[in-house]
Amino acid sequence: MEVLLITGSTIDEGRLAKGGDKLTDEYLRECAVCWISPVDFVSLCSPEKVKVTSRDRRHSVSVYTKCTDSVRPGHVFMPRAIWSNVIIDPDTLSTGSPLYKGAPVSIEPTEEEVLSAEDVVLKVYVGGQ
């Protein structure tokens, strides 16, 4: 399913990140998640996890799902953290800031493991994806 990704801080993401808790299970549960509208969630057959893939299909990450009315159909939200950063295009289009709002991505149900923040860094940035 093609959707637009919106990223941003949540209260708990900020609390955990600023508190130095980026390697905890609580941080993983708060940030390794994709918020999906009920309409889109049902059309995906209500998956526990989804794989979110960048527009160019070069980068992807598996995260848990959260079905919520907080997002509109055709949009998803992910907290601004290591998991969303994997799929955000680093090109700033001469603005100095990547496209954190409205980036086209695809989502699909997955059985893949949701990696810890440490394992995402090791896989994507140290070992290559």
Side-chain angles (χ1 to χ4, degrees):
M1 172 182 294
E2 302 297 321
V3 295
L4 294 178
L5 173 64
I6 309 298
T7 65
S9 295
T10 66
I11 291 171
D12 284 331
E13 174 271 326
R15 175 182 60 80
L16 292 162
K18 302 292 188 249
D21 293 322
K22 288 185 177 183
L23 300 180
T24 65
D25 286 339
E26 186 178 8
Y27 188 74
L28 181 134
R29 285 191 307 274
E30 177 64 26
C31 298
V33 65
C34 181
W35 299 16
I36 305 172
S37 76
V39 170
D40 291 342
F41 187 72
V42 169
S43 73
L44 290 169
C45 298
S46 307
E48 178 186 349
K49 299 179 281 190
V50 290
K51 179 191 278 187
V52 184
T53 304
S54 62
R55 173 191 260 182
D56 64 9
R57 312 219 40 90
R58 291 179 55 213
H59 306 286
S60 63
V61 67
S62 296
V63 293
Y64 295 106
T65 58
K66 177 179 178 179
C67 179
T68 175
D69 288 321
S70 297
V71 293
R72 298 175 34 188
H75 293 82
V76 295
F77 173 83
M78 290 178 68
R80 190 180 64 204
I82 189 70
W83 297 271
S84 60
N85 284 343
V86 168
I87 53 173
I88 295 294
D89 187 344
D91 187 2
T92 67
L93 306 172
S94 299
T95 65
S97 183
L99 187 60
Y100 290 113
K101 309 279 191 255
V105 298
S106 64
I107 58 172
E108 61 185 317
T110 189
E111 293 298 320
E112 289 182 8
E113 178 184 5
V114 175
L115 300 177
S116 68
E118 181 179 17
D119 287 340
V120 169
V121 170
L122 293 172
K123 177 183 177 191
V124 176
Y125 301 105
V126 177
Q129 186 173 4

